[in-house]
Amino acid sequence: MPKLKFQWTVNWERADESEYLKHIKRRIKEARDDVEMTQGELAQKVGRTQAYFSKLEGGELVPSVIELLGIAQFTGKPNDIGQFYVRNNTGQMVPLS
């Protein structure tokens, strides 16, 4: 049986990355604030430090997918944080469905 090869290609621009990261850091902070958790409390649940979350929310670090899913789980906001976005044909960032 022949092996199937799948390839995913994305035309990703630097502007897209910047916009996406701004969205992610804003959603992490909003989700944490919504459940009245400090950076330190959420960091402990996710297995990171408060300093890491400070840099994450400040846009200095990029979270991994696993970290995003953990943050979503512990804040109860899976649809807000764990959602991935793409640019549609009109140039808007929309949820990947």
Coordinates of all heavy atoms in Angstrom, one line a residue:
M1 N 0.8 -1.2 0.0 CA 0.0 0.0 0.0 C 0.9 1.2 0.0 O 1.8 1.4 0.8 CB -0.9 0.0 1.2 CG -1.7 1.2 1.4 SD -2.9 1.1 2.8 CE -4.3 0.6 2.0
P2 N 0.6 2.2 -0.9 CA 1.5 3.4 -0.9 C 1.2 4.3 0.3 O 0.1 4.4 0.8 CB 1.0 4.1 -2.2 CG -0.3 3.6 -2.5 CD -0.4 2.2 -1.9
K3 N 2.3 4.9 0.7 CA 2.2 5.9 1.8 C 1.7 7.2 1.3 O 2.0 7.7 0.2 CB 3.5 6.1 2.5 CG 4.1 4.9 3.2 CD 5.4 5.2 3.9 CE 5.8 4.0 4.6 NZ 7.1 4.2 5.3
L4 N 0.8 7.8 2.1 CA 0.2 9.1 1.7 C 1.1 10.2 2.3 O 1.5 10.0 3.5 CB -1.2 9.2 2.2 CG -2.2 8.3 1.6 CD1 -3.6 8.5 2.2 CD2 -2.3 8.5 0.1
K5 N 1.3 11.2 1.6 CA 2.1 12.3 2.1 C 1.2 13.6 2.1 O 0.6 13.9 1.1 CB 3.3 12.6 1.2 CG 4.2 13.7 1.7 CD 5.4 13.8 0.9 CE 6.3 15.0 1.4 NZ 7.4 15.2 0.5
F6 N 1.1 14.2 3.3 CA 0.3 15.4 3.4 C 1.2 16.5 3.7 O 2.2 16.4 4.4 CB -0.7 15.2 4.6 CG -1.7 14.2 4.4 CD1 -1.6 12.9 4.9 CD2 -2.9 14.5 3.7 CE1 -2.5 12.0 4.7 CE2 -3.8 13.6 3.5 CZ -3.7 12.3 4.0
Q7 N 0.9 17.6 3.1 CA 1.7 18.8 3.3 C 0.8 20.0 3.6 O -0.2 20.2 2.9 CB 2.6 19.1 2.1 CG 3.5 20.3 2.3 CD 4.4 20.5 1.1 OE1 4.3 19.8 0.1 NE2 5.3 21.4 1.2
W8 N 1.1 20.7 4.6 CA 0.3 21.9 4.9 C 1.2 23.1 4.6 O 2.3 23.3 5.2 CB 0.0 21.9 6.4 CG -0.8 23.1 6.9 CD1 -0.3 24.4 7.0 CD2 -2.1 23.2 7.3 NE1 -1.2 25.2 7.4 CE2 -2.4 24.5 7.7 CE3 -3.1 22.3 7.5 CZ2 -3.6 25.0 8.1 CZ3 -4.3 22.7 7.9 CH2 -4.6 24.0 8.3
T9 N 0.8 24.0 3.8 CA 1.5 25.2 3.5 C 0.7 26.4 3.8 O -0.5 26.4 3.6 CB 2.0 25.3 2.0 OG1 0.8 25.2 1.2 CG2 2.9 24.1 1.7
V10 N 1.3 27.4 4.4 CA 0.6 28.6 4.8 C 1.4 29.8 4.4 O 2.6 29.8 4.6 CB 0.4 28.6 6.3 CG1 -0.3 29.9 6.8 CG2 -0.4 27.4 6.8
N11 N 0.7 30.7 3.8 CA 1.4 32.0 3.4 C 1.2 32.9 4.6 O 0.3 33.6 4.8 CB 0.7 32.6 2.2 CG 1.4 33.8 1.7 OD1 2.5 34.2 2.3 ND2 0.9 34.5 0.8
W12 N 2.2 32.8 5.5 CA 2.1 33.6 6.8 C 3.0 34.8 6.7 O 4.2 34.7 6.4 CB 2.6 32.6 7.9 CG 2.3 33.2 9.3 CD1 3.3 33.8 10.1 CD2 1.1 33.2 10.0 NE1 2.7 34.1 11.3 CE2 1.4 33.8 11.2 CE3 -0.2 32.8 9.7 CZ2 0.4 34.0 12.2 CZ3 -1.1 32.9 10.6 CH2 -0.9 33.5 11.9
E13 N 2.4 35.9 7.0 CA 3.2 37.2 6.9 C 3.5 37.6 8.4 O 2.8 37.3 9.3 CB 2.4 38.3 6.3 CG 2.0 38.0 4.8 CD 1.2 39.0 4.2 OE1 1.1 40.1 4.8 OE2 0.6 38.7 3.2
R14 N 4.5 38.4 8.5 CA 5.0 38.9 9.8 C 3.9 39.7 10.5 O 3.7 39.6 11.7 CB 6.2 39.8 9.6 CG 7.2 39.8 10.7 CD 7.7 38.4 11.0 NE 8.8 38.5 11.9 CZ 9.1 37.7 12.8 NH1 8.4 36.6 13.0 NH2 10.1 37.8 13.6
A15 N 3.1 40.4 9.7 CA 2.0 41.2 10.3 C 0.9 40.3 10.9 O 0.4 40.6 11.9 CB 1.3 42.0 9.2
D16 N 0.7 39.1 10.3 CA -0.2 38.1 10.8 C 0.2 37.6 12.2 O -0.5 37.5 13.1 CB -0.4 36.9 9.9 CG -1.1 37.3 8.6 OD1 -1.8 38.3 8.6 OD2 -0.8 36.6 7.6
E17 N 1.5 37.3 12.3 CA 2.1 36.8 13.5 C 1.9 37.9 14.6 O 1.5 37.5 15.8 CB 3.6 36.5 13.3 CG 4.2 35.9 14.5 CD 5.7 35.6 14.3 OE1 6.1 35.5 13.2 OE2 6.4 35.5 15.3
S18 N 2.2 39.1 14.4 CA 2.1 40.1 15.4 C 0.7 40.3 15.8 O 0.4 40.4 17.0 CB 2.7 41.4 14.8 OG 2.5 42.5 15.7
E19 N -0.2 40.3 14.9 CA -1.6 40.5 15.3 C -2.1 39.3 16.1 O -2.9 39.4 17.1 CB -2.5 40.6 14.0 CG -3.9 41.0 14.2 CD -4.6 41.2 12.9 OE1 -4.0 41.5 11.9 OE2 -5.9 41.1 12.9
Y20 N -1.7 38.1 15.7 CA -2.1 36.9 16.4 C -1.6 36.9 17.8 O -2.3 36.6 18.8 CB -1.7 35.7 15.6 CG -2.2 34.4 16.2 CD1 -3.6 34.1 16.1 CD2 -1.4 33.5 16.9 CE1 -4.1 32.9 16.7 CE2 -1.9 32.3 17.4 CZ -3.2 32.0 17.3 OH -3.7 30.9 17.8
L21 N -0.3 37.2 18.0 CA 0.3 37.3 19.3 C -0.3 38.3 20.2 O -0.5 38.1 21.4 CB 1.8 37.5 19.2 CG 2.6 36.3 18.6 CD1 4.0 36.7 18.4 CD2 2.4 35.1 19.4
K22 N -0.7 39.4 19.7 CA -1.4 40.5 20.5 C -2.7 39.9 21.0 O -3.1 40.1 22.1 CB -1.7 41.7 19.6 CG -0.4 42.6 19.4 CD -0.8 43.8 18.6 CE 0.5 44.5 18.2 NZ 0.2 45.6 17.2
H23 N -3.4 39.2 20.1 CA -4.7 38.6 20.5 C -4.5 37.6 21.6 O -5.2 37.6 22.6 CB -5.4 37.9 19.3 CG -6.5 37.1 19.6 ND1 -7.8 37.6 19.9 CD2 -6.6 35.7 19.8 CE1 -8.6 36.6 20.2 NE2 -7.9 35.5 20.1
I24 N -3.5 36.7 21.4 CA -3.3 35.6 22.4 C -2.9 36.2 23.8 O -3.5 35.9 24.8 CB -2.1 34.7 22.0 CG1 -2.5 33.9 20.8 CG2 -1.6 33.8 23.1 CD1 -3.6 32.9 21.0
K25 N -2.0 37.2 23.8 CA -1.6 37.8 25.1 C -2.8 38.5 25.8 O -3.0 38.4 27.0 CB -0.4 38.6 25.0 CG -0.6 40.0 24.4 CD 0.7 40.8 24.5 CE 0.5 42.2 24.1 NZ 1.6 43.0 24.1
R26 N -3.6 39.2 25.0 CA -4.8 39.8 25.5 C -5.8 38.8 26.1 O -6.3 39.0 27.2 CB -5.5 40.7 24.5 CG -6.6 41.5 25.0 CD -7.3 42.4 23.9 NE -8.0 41.5 22.9 CZ -7.6 41.4 21.6 NH1 -6.6 42.1 21.2 NH2 -8.2 40.7 20.8
R27 N -6.0 37.7 25.4 CA -7.0 36.7 25.8 C -6.5 36.0 27.1 O -7.3 35.7 27.9 CB -7.3 35.7 24.7 CG -8.0 36.3 23.5 CD -9.4 37.0 23.9 NE -10.2 36.1 24.6 CZ -10.9 36.4 25.7 NH1 -10.9 37.6 26.2 NH2 -11.7 35.6 26.3
I28 N -5.2 35.7 27.2 CA -4.7 35.1 28.4 C -5.0 36.0 29.6 O -5.5 35.5 30.6 CB -3.2 34.8 28.2 CG1 -3.0 33.7 27.2 CG2 -2.6 34.4 29.6 CD1 -1.6 33.4 26.8
K29 N -4.6 37.2 29.5 CA -4.8 38.2 30.6 C -6.3 38.3 31.0 O -6.7 38.2 32.1 CB -4.2 39.5 30.3 CG -4.4 40.5 31.5 CD -3.6 41.7 31.4 CE -3.8 42.7 32.5 NZ -4.6 42.3 33.7
E30 N -7.2 38.5 29.9 CA -8.6 38.6 30.2 C -9.2 37.3 30.9 O -10.0 37.4 31.8 CB -9.3 38.9 28.9 CG -9.1 40.3 28.4 CD -9.7 40.5 27.0 OE1 -10.3 39.6 26.4 OE2 -9.6 41.6 26.4
A31 N -8.8 36.2 30.4 CA -9.3 34.9 31.0 C -8.8 34.8 32.4 O -9.6 34.4 33.3 CB -8.8 33.7 30.1
R32 N -7.6 35.1 32.7 CA -7.0 35.0 34.0 C -7.8 36.0 35.0 O -8.2 35.7 36.1 CB -5.5 35.3 34.0 CG -4.8 35.2 35.3 CD -3.4 35.4 35.2 NE -3.0 36.7 34.7 CZ -3.1 37.9 35.4 NH1 -3.6 37.9 36.6 NH2 -2.8 39.0 34.9
D33 N -8.0 37.2 34.5 CA -8.7 38.2 35.2 C -10.2 37.8 35.5 O -10.7 38.1 36.6 CB -8.7 39.6 34.5 CG -7.3 40.3 34.6 OD1 -6.5 39.8 35.4 OD2 -7.1 41.2 33.8
D34 N -10.8 37.2 34.5 CA -12.2 36.8 34.6 C -12.4 35.8 35.8 O -13.4 35.8 36.4 CB -12.7 36.1 33.3 CG -13.0 37.2 32.2 OD1 -13.0 38.4 32.5 OD2 -13.2 36.7 31.1
V35 N -11.4 35.0 36.0 CA -11.5 34.0 37.1 C -10.8 34.4 38.4 O -10.6 33.7 39.3 CB -11.0 32.6 36.7 CG1 -11.9 32.0 35.6 CG2 -9.6 32.6 36.2
E36 N -10.4 35.7 38.3 CA -9.7 36.4 39.5 C -8.5 35.6 40.0 O -8.4 35.3 41.2 CB -10.7 36.6 40.6 CG -11.8 37.5 40.2 CD -12.9 37.8 41.3 OE1 -12.8 37.1 42.3 OE2 -13.8 38.6 41.0
M37 N -7.7 35.2 39.0 CA -6.4 34.4 39.3 C -5.2 35.4 39.1 O -5.2 36.1 38.2 CB -6.3 33.2 38.4 CG -6.0 31.9 39.0 SD -5.8 30.7 37.7 CE -7.3 29.7 38.1
T38 N -4.3 35.3 40.0 CA -3.0 36.0 39.8 C -2.2 35.3 38.8 O -2.4 34.1 38.5 CB -2.2 36.2 41.1 OG1 -1.8 34.9 41.5 CG2 -3.1 36.8 42.2
Q39 N -1.2 36.0 38.2 CA -0.2 35.3 37.3 C 0.4 34.1 38.1 O 0.6 33.0 37.5 CB 0.9 36.3 36.9 CG 0.4 37.3 35.9 CD 1.5 38.2 35.5 OE1 2.5 38.4 36.2 NE2 1.3 38.9 34.3
G40 N 0.8 34.3 39.3 CA 1.4 33.3 40.1 C 0.5 32.0 40.3 O 1.0 30.9 40.2
E41 N -0.8 32.3 40.5 CA -1.7 31.1 40.7 C -1.9 30.3 39.5 O -1.8 29.1 39.5 CB -3.0 31.7 41.2 CG -3.0 32.2 42.6 CD -4.3 33.0 43.0 OE1 -5.0 33.5 42.1 OE2 -4.6 33.1 44.2
L42 N -2.0 31.0 38.3 CA -2.2 30.3 37.1 C -0.9 29.6 36.7 O -0.9 28.5 36.2 CB -2.7 31.3 36.0 CG -2.9 30.6 34.6 CD1 -3.9 29.5 34.7 CD2 -3.4 31.7 33.6
A43 N 0.2 30.3 36.9 CA 1.5 29.7 36.6 C 1.7 28.4 37.4 O 2.2 27.4 36.8 CB 2.6 30.7 36.9
Q44 N 1.4 28.4 38.6 CA 1.5 27.2 39.4 C 0.7 26.0 38.8 O 1.2 24.9 38.7 CB 1.1 27.4 40.9 CG 1.4 26.3 41.8 CD 1.0 26.6 43.2 OE1 0.3 27.6 43.5 NE2 1.5 25.8 44.1
K45 N -0.5 26.3 38.4 CA -1.4 25.3 37.8 C -0.8 24.7 36.5 O -0.9 23.5 36.2 CB -2.8 25.8 37.6 CG -3.5 26.0 38.9 CD -4.9 26.5 38.6 CE -5.7 26.8 39.9 NZ -6.1 25.6 40.6
V46 N -0.2 25.6 35.7 CA 0.3 25.2 34.4 C 1.7 24.7 34.5 O 2.2 24.1 33.5 CB 0.2 26.4 33.4 CG1 0.8 26.1 32.1 CG2 -1.2 26.9 33.3
G47 N 2.4 24.9 35.6 CA 3.7 24.4 35.8 C 4.8 25.4 35.3 O 5.9 25.0 34.9
R48 N 4.5 26.7 35.4 CA 5.4 27.7 35.1 C 5.6 28.7 36.2 O 5.0 28.5 37.3 CB 4.9 28.5 33.8 CG 4.9 27.7 32.5 CD 6.3 27.4 32.1 NE 6.4 26.8 30.8 CZ 7.5 26.7 30.1 NH1 8.6 27.1 30.6 NH2 7.5 26.2 28.9
T49 N 6.4 29.7 36.0 CA 6.6 30.7 37.1 C 5.8 31.9 36.8 O 5.4 32.2 35.7 CB 8.1 31.1 37.1 OG1 8.5 31.7 35.9 CG2 9.0 29.9 37.4
Q50 N 5.7 32.8 37.8 CA 5.0 34.0 37.7 C 5.7 34.9 36.7 O 5.1 35.6 35.8 CB 4.8 34.7 39.0 CG 4.1 36.1 38.9 CD 5.0 37.2 38.5 OE1 6.2 37.3 38.9 NE2 4.4 38.2 37.8
A51 N 7.1 34.9 36.7 CA 7.9 35.7 35.8 C 7.6 35.2 34.3 O 7.6 36.1 33.4 CB 9.4 35.5 36.1
Y52 N 7.4 33.9 34.1 CA 7.1 33.4 32.8 C 5.8 34.1 32.3 O 5.7 34.5 31.2 CB 7.0 31.9 32.8 CG 6.6 31.4 31.5 CD1 7.5 31.1 30.5 CD2 5.2 31.1 31.2 CE1 7.1 30.6 29.2 CE2 4.9 30.6 30.0 CZ 5.8 30.3 29.0 OH 5.4 29.8 27.8
F53 N 4.8 34.1 33.2 CA 3.5 34.6 32.8 C 3.6 36.1 32.6 O 2.9 36.7 31.7 CB 2.4 34.3 33.8 CG 1.7 33.0 33.4 CD1 2.2 31.8 33.6 CD2 0.5 33.1 32.6 CE1 1.6 30.6 33.2 CE2 -0.1 31.9 32.2 CZ 0.4 30.7 32.5
S54 N 4.4 36.8 33.3 CA 4.6 38.2 33.1 C 5.1 38.5 31.7 O 4.6 39.4 31.0 CB 5.5 38.8 34.2 OG 5.8 40.2 34.0
K55 N 6.1 37.7 31.3 CA 6.7 37.9 30.0 C 5.7 37.4 28.9 O 5.7 38.0 27.8 CB 8.0 37.1 29.9 CG 9.1 37.7 30.7 CD 10.4 36.9 30.6 CE 11.5 37.5 31.4 NZ 12.7 36.8 31.3
L56 N 4.9 36.4 29.2 CA 3.9 35.9 28.2 C 2.9 37.0 28.0 O 2.6 37.3 26.8 CB 3.3 34.6 28.8 CG 2.4 33.8 27.9 CD1 3.2 33.3 26.8 CD2 1.7 32.7 28.7
E57 N 2.3 37.5 29.0 CA 1.3 38.6 28.9 C 1.9 39.9 28.3 O 1.2 40.7 27.8 CB 0.6 38.8 30.2 CG -0.3 37.7 30.6 CD -1.0 37.9 31.9 OE1 -1.0 39.0 32.4 OE2 -1.6 36.9 32.4
G58 N 3.2 40.1 28.5 CA 3.9 41.3 28.0 C 4.3 41.1 26.5 O 4.8 42.0 25.9
G59 N 4.1 39.9 26.0 CA 4.4 39.7 24.6 C 5.8 39.3 24.3 O 6.3 39.3 23.2
E60 N 6.6 39.1 25.4 CA 8.0 38.7 25.2 C 8.2 37.3 24.9 O 9.3 36.9 24.3 CB 8.8 39.1 26.5 CG 8.9 40.5 26.8 CD 9.6 40.8 28.1 OE1 10.7 40.3 28.3 OE2 9.0 41.5 29.0
L61 N 7.3 36.4 25.2 CA 7.3 35.0 25.0 C 6.1 34.5 24.2 O 5.1 35.1 24.3 CB 7.4 34.2 26.3 CG 8.6 34.5 27.2 CD1 8.5 33.7 28.5 CD2 9.9 34.0 26.5
V62 N 6.3 33.4 23.5 CA 5.2 32.8 22.7 C 4.9 31.5 23.4 O 5.7 30.6 23.5 CB 5.6 32.6 21.2 CG1 4.5 31.9 20.5 CG2 6.1 33.9 20.6
P63 N 3.6 31.3 23.8 CA 3.2 30.1 24.4 C 3.1 28.9 23.4 O 2.8 29.1 22.3 CB 1.8 30.4 25.0 CG 1.3 31.4 24.1 CD 2.5 32.3 23.7
S64 N 3.4 27.7 23.9 CA 3.2 26.6 23.1 C 1.7 26.2 23.0 O 0.9 26.7 23.8 CB 4.0 25.4 23.7 OG 3.4 24.9 24.8
V65 N 1.4 25.4 22.1 CA 0.0 24.9 22.0 C -0.4 24.2 23.3 O -1.5 24.4 23.8 CB -0.2 24.0 20.8 CG1 -1.6 23.4 20.8 CG2 0.0 24.8 19.5
I66 N 0.5 23.4 23.9 CA 0.2 22.7 25.1 C -0.1 23.7 26.2 O -1.0 23.5 27.0 CB 1.3 21.8 25.5 CG1 1.5 20.7 24.4 CG2 1.1 21.1 26.8 CD1 0.3 19.8 24.1
E67 N 0.7 24.7 26.3 CA 0.5 25.8 27.4 C -0.8 26.5 27.2 O -1.6 26.7 28.1 CB 1.7 26.8 27.4 CG 2.9 26.2 27.9 CD 4.1 27.0 27.7 OE1 4.2 27.8 26.7 OE2 5.1 26.9 28.4
L68 N -1.2 26.8 25.9 CA -2.4 27.5 25.6 C -3.6 26.6 26.1 O -4.6 27.1 26.7 CB -2.6 27.8 24.2 CG -1.8 29.0 23.6 CD1 -1.9 29.1 22.1 CD2 -2.2 30.3 24.3
L69 N -3.5 25.3 25.8 CA -4.6 24.4 26.2 C -4.7 24.3 27.7 O -5.8 24.2 28.3 CB -4.4 23.0 25.5 CG -4.5 23.0 24.0 CD1 -4.2 21.6 23.5 CD2 -5.9 23.4 23.6
G70 N -3.5 24.3 28.4 CA -3.5 24.2 29.9 C -4.1 25.5 30.4 O -4.9 25.4 31.4
I71 N -3.8 26.6 29.9 CA -4.3 27.9 30.4 C -5.8 27.9 30.1 O -6.6 28.3 31.0 CB -3.7 29.1 29.6 CG1 -2.2 29.2 30.0 CG2 -4.4 30.4 29.9 CD1 -1.3 30.1 29.1
A72 N -6.3 27.5 29.0 CA -7.7 27.4 28.7 C -8.4 26.5 29.6 O -9.5 26.8 30.1 CB -7.9 26.9 27.2
Q73 N -7.8 25.4 30.0 CA -8.5 24.4 30.9 C -8.6 25.0 32.3 O -9.7 25.0 32.9 CB -7.6 23.2 31.0 CG -8.2 22.2 32.0 CD -7.2 21.0 32.2 OE1 -6.3 20.8 31.4 NE2 -7.5 20.2 33.2
F74 N -7.5 25.6 32.8 CA -7.6 26.1 34.2 C -8.3 27.4 34.3 O -8.7 27.8 35.4 CB -6.1 26.3 34.7 CG -5.5 25.0 34.9 CD1 -4.4 24.6 34.2 CD2 -6.0 24.0 35.9 CE1 -3.7 23.4 34.4 CE2 -5.4 22.8 36.1 CZ -4.3 22.5 35.3
T75 N -8.6 28.2 33.3 CA -9.4 29.4 33.4 C -10.8 29.1 32.9 O -11.7 30.0 33.1 CB -8.8 30.5 32.5 OG1 -8.8 30.1 31.1 CG2 -7.4 30.9 33.0
G76 N -11.1 28.0 32.4 CA -12.4 27.6 31.9 C -12.8 28.4 30.6 O -14.0 28.7 30.4
K77 N -11.8 28.8 29.9 CA -12.0 29.6 28.7 C -11.5 28.9 27.4 O -10.8 29.5 26.6 CB -11.4 30.9 28.8 CG -11.8 31.8 30.0 CD -13.1 32.3 29.7 CE -13.5 33.3 30.9 NZ -14.7 33.9 30.7
P78 N -11.9 27.6 27.2 CA -11.3 26.9 26.0 C -11.6 27.5 24.7 O -10.8 27.5 23.7 CB -11.9 25.5 26.1 CG -13.1 25.7 26.9 CD -12.8 26.8 27.9
N79 N -12.8 28.1 24.5 CA -13.1 28.7 23.2 C -12.5 30.1 23.0 O -12.4 30.5 21.9 CB -14.6 28.9 23.1 CG -15.3 27.5 23.1 OD1 -14.8 26.6 22.6 ND2 -16.5 27.5 23.6
D80 N -12.0 30.7 24.1 CA -11.4 32.0 23.9 C -9.9 31.9 23.7 O -9.3 32.7 22.9 CB -11.6 32.8 25.2 CG -13.1 33.2 25.3 OD1 -13.9 33.1 24.3 OD2 -13.5 33.6 26.4
I81 N -9.2 31.0 24.4 CA -7.8 30.9 24.3 C -7.3 29.8 23.4 O -6.4 30.0 22.6 CB -7.2 30.7 25.7 CG1 -7.5 31.9 26.6 CG2 -5.7 30.5 25.6 CD1 -7.1 31.7 28.0
G82 N -8.0 28.7 23.4 CA -7.6 27.5 22.6 C -8.0 27.6 21.2 O -7.8 26.7 20.4
Q83 N -8.5 28.7 20.8 CA -9.0 28.9 19.4 C -7.9 29.4 18.5 O -7.1 30.3 18.9 CB -10.1 29.9 19.3 CG -10.7 30.2 18.0 CD -11.4 29.0 17.4 OE1 -12.4 28.5 18.0 NE2 -11.0 28.5 16.3
F84 N -7.7 28.8 17.3 CA -6.7 29.2 16.4 C -7.4 30.1 15.3 O -8.5 29.9 15.0 CB -6.1 28.0 15.7 CG -5.3 27.2 16.7 CD1 -5.9 26.1 17.3 CD2 -4.0 27.5 17.0 CE1 -5.2 25.4 18.2 CE2 -3.3 26.8 17.9 CZ -3.8 25.7 18.5
Y85 N -6.6 31.1 14.8 CA -7.2 32.1 13.9 C -6.4 32.0 12.6 O -5.2 31.8 12.6 CB -7.1 33.5 14.5 CG -8.1 33.7 15.6 CD1 -8.0 33.2 16.8 CD2 -9.3 34.4 15.3 CE1 -8.9 33.3 17.8 CE2 -10.3 34.5 16.3 CZ -10.1 34.0 17.5 OH -11.0 34.2 18.5
V86 N -7.1 32.4 11.5 CA -6.4 32.5 10.2 C -7.0 33.8 9.5 O -8.0 34.3 9.9 CB -6.7 31.3 9.3 CG1 -6.1 30.0 9.8 CG2 -8.2 31.1 9.1
R87 N -6.3 34.2 8.5 CA -6.7 35.4 7.8 C -7.6 34.9 6.6 O -7.2 34.1 5.9 CB -5.5 36.2 7.3 CG -5.9 37.5 6.7 CD -4.7 38.4 6.4 NE -3.9 38.7 7.5 CZ -4.2 39.7 8.4 NH1 -5.3 40.4 8.2 NH2 -3.4 40.0 9.4
N88 N -8.8 35.5 6.6 CA -9.7 35.1 5.5 C -9.4 35.9 4.2 O -8.5 36.7 4.2 CB -11.2 35.2 5.9 CG -11.6 36.7 6.1 OD1 -10.9 37.6 5.7 ND2 -12.8 36.9 6.7
N89 N -10.2 35.7 3.2 CA -9.9 36.3 1.9 C -10.2 37.8 1.9 O -9.8 38.5 0.9 CB -10.7 35.6 0.8 CG -12.2 35.7 1.0 OD1 -12.7 36.1 2.0 ND2 -13.0 35.2 0.1
T90 N -10.8 38.4 2.9 CA -11.0 39.8 3.0 C -9.9 40.4 3.9 O -9.9 41.6 4.1 CB -12.4 40.2 3.5 OG1 -12.5 39.7 4.9 CG2 -13.5 39.6 2.7
G91 N -9.0 39.6 4.4 CA -7.9 40.1 5.3 C -8.2 40.2 6.7 O -7.4 40.6 7.5
Q92 N -9.4 39.7 7.2 CA -9.7 39.7 8.6 C -9.2 38.4 9.2 O -9.2 37.4 8.6 CB -11.2 39.8 8.8 CG -11.8 41.1 8.3 CD -13.3 41.1 8.4 OE1 -14.0 40.2 8.1 NE2 -13.8 42.2 9.0
M93 N -8.9 38.5 10.5 CA -8.5 37.3 11.3 C -9.8 36.7 11.8 O -10.6 37.4 12.5 CB -7.6 37.7 12.5 CG -6.2 38.2 12.1 SD -5.2 37.0 11.2 CE -4.6 36.1 12.5
V94 N -10.0 35.4 11.5 CA -11.2 34.7 11.9 C -10.9 33.4 12.5 O -9.8 32.8 12.2 CB -12.2 34.5 10.7 CG1 -12.7 35.8 10.1 CG2 -11.5 33.7 9.6
P95 N -11.8 32.9 13.4 CA -11.5 31.6 14.0 C -11.4 30.5 13.0 O -12.2 30.5 12.1 CB -12.7 31.4 15.0 CG -13.3 32.7 15.2 CD -13.0 33.5 13.9
L96 N -10.4 29.6 13.2 CA -10.3 28.4 12.4 C -11.4 27.4 12.8 O -11.4 27.1 14.0 CB -8.9 27.8 12.5 CG -8.6 26.6 11.7 CD1 -8.6 27.0 10.2 CD2 -7.2 26.1 12.0
S97 N -12.3 27.1 11.9 CA -13.3 26.1 12.3 C -13.2 24.8 11.7 O -12.4 24.5 10.9 CB -14.7 26.7 11.9 OG -14.7 27.1 10.6

